[in-house]
Amino acid sequence: MHFTALDWTSIVLFLLLTSGVAVFTRRFISDYDSFLLAGRNLKLYLAMATMGATELGLVTLMYFSQQGYASGFAAFSIGLISLAGFIFVGKTGFIIKGLRQLRCRTIAEFFGLRYDRNTQIIAALITFVAGMMNMGLFLVMGAKFLLYLVGFAPDQLPYIMVGLLLLVLLYTVVGGMVSVVLTDYIQFIILFTSVVLTTYFAIDRVGYGPIVTNVQAQYGEGGFNPLANPDMGWSFVIWLSIAALFSGMWPPALSRALSTTDSETTRKMYGFIGLSFLGRALLPMMWGIAAFAYFQLDPSIPFPTEDGEPDTAAAMPAYLAHILPAGVRGLIAAAALAAMMSTFDSYLLCWSSILVNDIVAPVRPRLDDAGKIKLTRIAIVVCGVFVLLWGYIYDPPETIFRFMAITGTMYSASVLLTTAMGLYWKKANTAGTLASLVVAGILPLFAIFVKDAASLPAYLQWLASDKEVAIATFVLSLTAIVAVSLLTQKSSPPKALVFPEED
């Protein structure tokens, strides 16, 4: 075991602090809006902190470091494309402004206003399924990080997963969004400090010069240019560029945008968070690149394995366990817990609220706020158990980031694309939207579950490639809503939106 008494003290103090906040905030839960959206009262700096903490999760550190390990400096393009997307959304208010004007709690509510109740339920189901699959690797990745950093035995992984789940369930069920945003504020401060500190140690241990030299030697031009990288290339860059139009609209992040006091606060928040997202990509990628150089330069150091195969996702925490001094390891572990909890609690609350607010509530219109809160709390527990089981069962075919991106495409190419069309194209109708949702909701499942292209006929083998499937999903989804809407204008006339005054 790598940990000292000082390291353990840092973790215990953090856990006591966040658990105390959860119990304290219970008194502020008066209705469903206060439980789900913190009463829509988030000011700018608190909103920026809670959104930044939510999207800088432990799984984020793991999948970006793995991408850096696998692609070298070429992986930095992911963060730069994301920054451009956030700037676009922040400057234009794309989609966000319309949802705020309509005072939607969740994005699926928009479908009930613009289309019909059945469309709302289908959009919510796609969002929920994509979200739960996306979240499915959070526990196993978080537990794996702590396993290697602390120095636990590999057979203790399931116990760490269960412990982490119980910890998050405690204050998410009790305090709702109020608890989440307050603990996120604390966690954001811990995260920011620890990420910068870890980056210093990660680079200093190997040296920037040897890191660059090693990447050049192992990857050549592909280690610096994403277009020359065989694992990325033009299709990967095009895929991410299309997805960047919907930056910051993954439902847990979107819930922060809908929780702010007004639209201007939301717009400013997106500008700041774009820079935060750039940092959350580049810094852990640098950890992964440093870990790559570290293990390459000294092959005698044992490399983490899983089922006898190299485990590149575990390279970063294994590297940090070797190089971080006593005391710093405890701080980084506390930050890792903060990263995981700030993301996990928000995601559990988000997916559970979608299940209750957009799938159950439309068929049970008499459900009151107390009933919604109770059902949401039950759903949080059920979703947590699903994530625990999914982490055991599913083994992603590509890097963790690529898995996250394709599940995100399942949501953005269906729900977000049809939301944009509904806001900005008057001829979008229910029939066209349903066609688009079906296409974009089903197509990514091939890339998620088909791991061997050879098992498909030659003309369908592209379905096993996440990059090709993602681009096809966006193109076919847009084609479906435009073509079907134009063909069914008389049989399914578009429903006009009525915007209230700006909040």
Side-chain angles (χ1 to χ4, degrees):
M1 180 146 328
H2 310 302
F3 264 37
T4 65
L6 180 59
D7 295 319
W8 285 114
T9 300
S10 300
I11 293 178
V12 171
L13 289 176
F14 168 74
L15 294 178
L16 289 175
L17 178 62
T18 53
S19 299
V21 169
V23 174
F24 174 76
T25 54
R26 184 182 177 90
R27 70 184 67 184
F28 299 110
I29 305 302
S30 57
D31 56 22
Y32 196 55
D33 261 9
S34 63
F35 182 78
L36 182 59
L37 296 176
R40 300 182 190 267
N41 287 318
L42 294 190
K43 303 297 183 181
L44 177 60
Y45 295 109
L46 183 56
M48 291 190 301
T50 185
M51 187 173 179
T54 295
E55 294 306 311
L56 181 56
L58 181 50
V59 69
T60 311
L61 301 178
M62 290 289 281
Y63 67 63
F64 276 138
S65 69
Q66 184 191 32
Q67 197 66 46
Y69 188 99
S71 305
F73 292 98
F76 283 9
S77 60
I78 296 171
L80 294 172
I81 292 171
S82 177
L83 174 62
F86 271 93
I87 292 174
F88 166 74
V89 174
K91 291 292 186 181
T92 64
F94 182 60
I95 294 181
I96 301 295
K97 184 176 180 180
L99 294 180
R100 282 208 57 95
Q101 286 180 307
L102 294 167
R103 296 194 63 81
C104 295
R105 287 192 184 96
T106 64
I107 196 168
E109 282 190 11
F110 170 81
F111 288 80
L113 296 172
R114 180 65 170 83
Y115 305 112
D116 61 19
R117 181 172 292 180
N118 291 332
T119 311
Q120 176 182 353
I121 294 174
I122 293 172
L125 279 171
I126 293 174
T127 303
F128 181 76
V129 171
M132 290 306 300
M133 286 194 296
N134 180 277
M135 188 181 176
L137 301 181
F138 282 22
L139 267 181
V140 68
M141 287 295 105
K144 187 174 291 188
F145 179 92
L146 293 174
L147 181 81
Y148 283 97
L149 183 65
V150 176
F152 289 122
D155 60 1
Q156 292 178 308
L157 181 67
Y159 302 106
I160 299 173
M161 292 174 66
V162 172
L164 292 174
L165 176 61
L166 292 175
L167 180 65
V168 174
L169 288 178
L170 169 66
Y171 70 88
T172 308
V173 169
V174 171
M177 182 62 79
V178 179
S179 171
V180 167
V181 297
L182 290 179
T183 52
D184 276 356
Y185 195 79
I186 300 167
Q187 291 157 358
F188 181 76
I189 296 172
I190 298 173
L191 279 170
F192 179 80
T193 304
S194 300
V195 166
V196 172
L197 186 63
T198 302
T199 304
Y200 166 76
F201 280 109
I203 298 175
D204 182 69
R205 178 62 177 81
V206 180
Y208 187 73
I211 290 174
V212 173
T213 301
N214 192 70
V215 170
Q216 176 66 48
Q218 300 295 327
Y219 292 134
E221 185 184 357
F224 303 88
N225 180 1
L227 301 180
N229 189 298
D231 193 47
M232 300 175 78
W234 277 104
S235 57
F236 185 79
V237 173
I238 292 172
W239 171 19
L240 294 189
S241 299
I242 297 172
L245 297 174
F246 306 105
S247 293
M249 297 184 204
W250 190 235
L254 185 62
S255 68
R256 300 307 194 275
L258 301 180
S259 299
T260 56
T261 54
D262 53 49
S263 293
E264 182 63 16
T265 298
T266 302
R267 189 187 64 78
K268 291 179 180 178
M269 179 182 71
Y270 270 79
F272 169 83
I273 292 299
L275 294 174
S276 172
F277 271 49
L278 178 64
R280 78 159 191 157
L282 268 55
L283 295 184
M285 283 175 183
M286 197 66 222
W287 304 356
I289 298 170
F292 176 75
Y294 181 75
F295 287 109
Q296 290 290 326
L297 293 171
D298 190 351
S300 66
I301 300 173
F303 191 84
T305 60
E306 185 175 29
D307 298 329
E309 297 293 328
D311 186 359
T312 57
M316 178 268 288
Y319 171 58
L320 296 184
H322 279 92
I323 68 164
L324 293 179
V328 176
R329 278 193 300 265
L331 178 62
I332 301 306
L337 282 172
M340 186 200 152
M341 293 164 65
S342 62
T343 301
F344 209 116
D345 56 12
S346 300
Y347 276 51
L348 279 178
L349 186 62
C350 177
W351 306 131
S352 302
S353 65
I354 288 172
L355 179 64
V356 172
N357 196 57
D358 297 312
I359 299 175
V360 176
V363 297
R364 294 183 59 185
R366 295 184 180 180
L367 190 65
D368 60 13
D369 279 2
K372 287 182 180 180
I373 292 174
K374 180 179 179 180
L375 285 177
T376 301
R377 284 173 167 153
I378 293 172
I380 286 171
V381 176
V382 173
C383 290
V385 172
F386 170 84
V387 170
L388 180 66
L389 297 175
W390 180 267
Y392 283 115
I393 296 171
Y394 187 75
D395 180 28
E398 303 289 348
T399 62
I400 303 301
F401 172 78
R402 296 271 287 272
F403 170 74
M404 297 293 180
I406 192 64
T407 53
T409 296
M410 182 178 174
Y411 161 74
S412 57
S414 60
V415 176
L416 289 178
L417 188 146
T418 50
T419 298
M421 295 299 286
L423 284 169
Y424 305 116
W425 190 45
K426 293 181 180 180
K427 292 186 178 181
N429 64 8
T430 299
T433 298
L434 287 173
S436 180
L437 290 174
V438 170
V439 169
I442 292 176
L443 200 53
L445 293 176
F446 288 95
I448 293 171
F449 290 107
V450 178
K451 299 180 181 180
D452 183 12
S455 64
L456 298 172
Y459 66 94
L460 291 178
Q461 289 184 0
W462 64 274
L463 290 172
S465 169
D466 55 355
K467 295 179 287 187
E468 295 183 40
V469 166
I471 294 172
T473 300
F474 278 111
V475 172
L476 294 177
S477 179
L478 179 61
T479 301
I481 190 171
V482 171
V484 177
S485 291
L486 291 176
L487 291 172
T488 59
Q489 288 291 292
K490 292 183 178 180
S491 60
S492 179
K495 181 179 177 182
L497 281 172
V498 178
F499 288 92
E501 294 184 5
E502 176 65 85
D503 57 352

